[in-house]
Amino acid sequence: MEIRIEKTQTPKEKPQDETKLGFGHIFTDHMFIMDYDTGMGWHDARVVPYGDISLSPAAMVLHYGQEIFEGLKAYRTADGSIQFFRPIENFKRMNISAERLVIPEIPVEDALQALHTVVEVDKDWVPHTDGASLYIRPFIFAADPFLGVRPGDKYYFMIIMSPSGAYYSTGLEPVSIYVETKYVRAVRGGMGFTKTGGNYAASLHSQDDAHKLNYSQVLWLDGIEQKYIEEVGSMNIMFVIDGEVVTPQLQGSVLSGITRKSVLELCKKWGIKATERRISIQEVADAYDAGKLDEVFGTGTAAVVSPVGHLRWGDKVMEIGGNKIGKLTQRLYDTMTGMQYGKIPDDMGWIEKL
Ligand SMILES: *Cc1c(COP(=O)(O)O)cnc(C)c1O
């Protein structure tokens, strides 16, 4: 694929204090963009100065939400080089999302080339501080100016990038999670397994309710019986019960997280029993009452692993592991971040150098 590069004449000042980056506020100097038109396919791949785009108010994505996205990071190692964590998996998953939403797929090697090219142009934006990274957001949306309901004929694939601070500034602080029993996020046969804006729109009300009760995230139950555990807002979830790792199986309504997959692979390598199966919130509560709920943690690109300190289900509040990070959670965190920042060797074949 040929990619045209147009560099900015007015580069921005890079953030001086990398401890104050936060998440998702600051954008780099450039972005990737490529057009799709029915009959032409994907064409006109280019890296251009970061900036606003012009869209018709009738653009289909604004009305019917035909949109998908991905999220990954570029990490800087101690020797100054830059690397990614399993980026192939992100672009394979993007095509799985694309298929569900009738969005034209992009060959994985083209998407990877776009990623490498745009990060290379803005490589000085990859933070140097330990724990900080360059958050990368690829996305595709339908842009036809048309109010009828049908798949689009015009799409844009874009990649934008945002230097982001360490997720944990003061060690891995456990999060508190609220089990949602009123609303549901996704049902089997729906779009739960895709990364699409609509799933997040469906989650906002519950997220708001949880915040009002001083819980930081929502745990979703299945959309039919509201008995079985699915996942957290933007993380998959794992329970360590009596020494065994248990996580909900993928069955269409749960996002297939790359961190989830990596944790399962590490457990296997370490000889720790890890099972994907249906698990009810009642089973978790029973394990807690029996003193067998050793650890609970979320998994996702943003936080890698996120220990859960409190889980509230109706009137029942479970405090897990004394509201401190558990041993396996810490080991997973140290191993995965160690590989990502090049501090420990990657013996899994997960790291891809820029
Ligand atoms: C992105 C995402 C995850 C985590 O996936 P990773 O590939 O591990 O980052 C989990 N759940 C939802 C709903 C997500 O959108």
Side-chain angles (χ1 to χ4, degrees):
M1 180 171 75
E2 198 187 302
I3 303 177
R4 179 168 61 81
I5 297 176
E6 181 197 326
K7 289 209 178 154
T8 180
Q9 299 302 311
T10 51
K12 287 176 280 201
E13 185 125 359
K14 294 188 186 60
Q16 289 304 307
D17 185 354
E18 290 188 349
T19 64
K20 294 206 172 69
L21 287 172
F23 175 77
H25 298 288
I26 304 160
F27 298 95
T28 65
D29 279 328
H30 298 88
M31 61 187 184
F32 177 86
I33 181 162
M34 174 161 77
D35 295 54
Y36 179 95
D37 290 274
T38 295
M40 287 176 83
W42 288 107
H43 64 94
D44 208 9
R46 57 214 187 266
V47 170
V48 295
Y50 180 89
D52 293 351
I53 52 171
S54 134
L55 273 187
S56 161
M60 289 174 82
V61 64
L62 301 176
H63 303 275
Y64 308 121
Q66 199 190 5
E67 181 269 352
I68 55 174
F69 65 93
E70 271 303 326
L72 70 161
K73 291 172 170 177
Y75 308 88
R76 191 180 293 280
T77 64
D79 67 6
S81 68
I82 291 164
Q83 57 190 31
F84 306 104
F85 184 76
R86 312 189 82 174
I88 283 185
E89 299 293 332
N90 290 95
F91 293 118
K92 280 196 208 157
R93 184 171 65 191
M94 191 168 79
N95 281 339
I96 291 170
S97 300
E99 202 279 331
R100 178 64 181 83
L101 280 102
V102 203
I103 287 172
E105 293 174 25
I106 297 178
V108 169
E109 52 282 16
D110 290 352
L112 283 170
Q113 189 194 349
L115 171 74
H116 279 262
T117 306
V118 73
V119 173
E120 178 67 38
V121 170
D122 274 342
K123 64 177 178 228
D124 292 345
W125 283 87
V126 180
H128 293 75
T129 309
D130 194 32
S133 60
L134 184 69
Y135 184 79
I136 301 165
R137 168 56 55 85
F139 57 108
I140 310 178
F141 59 93
D144 317 35
F146 179 55
L147 293 182
V149 178
R150 59 154 173 79
D153 278 320
K154 167 89 205 165
Y155 297 87
Y156 292 107
F157 170 46
M158 302 185 67
I159 302 176
I160 57 174
M161 302 179 290
S162 174
S164 297
Y167 194 88
Y168 300 106
S169 40
T170 53
L172 275 83
E173 292 212 21
V175 293
S176 56
I177 288 188
Y178 175 80
V179 182
E180 175 59 90
T181 51
K182 184 176 176 195
Y183 299 108
V184 299
R185 168 187 174 273
V187 286
R188 259 161 282 159
M191 304 193 298
F193 65 99
T194 69
K195 262 183 135 61
T196 184
N199 288 336
Y200 279 80
S203 77
L204 296 175
H205 198 294
S206 305
Q207 184 75 29
D208 246 19
D209 293 347
H211 284 167
K212 282 182 194 133
L213 293 167
N214 270 324
Y215 283 78
S216 67
Q217 306 211 34
V218 172
L219 179 68
W220 298 102
L221 300 178
D222 78 272
I224 295 163
E225 297 176 81
Q226 291 191 273
K227 266 167 74 175
Y228 298 99
I229 291 165
E230 300 236 304
E231 61 174 313
V232 183
S234 55
M235 294 193 290
N236 295 107
I237 187 128
M238 308 227 172
F239 302 89
V240 187
I241 299 175
D242 210 9
E244 176 188 353
V245 177
V246 181
T247 193
Q249 71 205 83
L250 304 174
Q251 46 175 21
S253 48
V254 172
L255 196 283
S256 174
I258 296 160
T259 320
R260 172 187 183 278
K261 179 175 173 168
S262 306
V263 164
L264 291 174
E265 289 171 25
L266 281 176
C267 286
K268 195 169 171 199
K269 180 178 146 201
W270 292 340
I272 295 167
K273 189 166 183 217
T275 314
E276 298 169 75
R277 64 167 169 86
R278 236 157 57 139
I279 177 167
S280 67
I281 184 69
Q282 185 66 56
E283 181 184 341
V284 169
D286 291 346
Y288 177 78
D289 289 339
K292 291 180 173 171
L293 186 60
D294 309 333
E295 300 180 34
V296 180
F297 56 93
T299 67
T301 296
V304 188
V305 290
S306 195
V308 176
H310 290 93
L311 194 58
R312 173 168 163 181
W313 177 37
D315 294 333
K316 187 177 180 75
V317 179
M318 300 172 244
E319 187 185 77
I320 298 136
N323 196 31
K324 290 198 184 72
I325 183 167
K327 258 166 70 181
L328 179 63
T329 312
Q330 184 75 53
R331 185 179 180 197
L332 287 163
Y333 181 80
D334 292 344
T335 305
M336 298 200 9
T337 55
M339 284 186 202
Q340 289 164 345
Y341 289 90
K343 290 180 198 159
I344 60 174
D346 162 32
D347 54 359
M348 303 295 279
W350 289 345
I351 296 300
E352 184 171 306
K353 288 266 174 199
L354 176 66

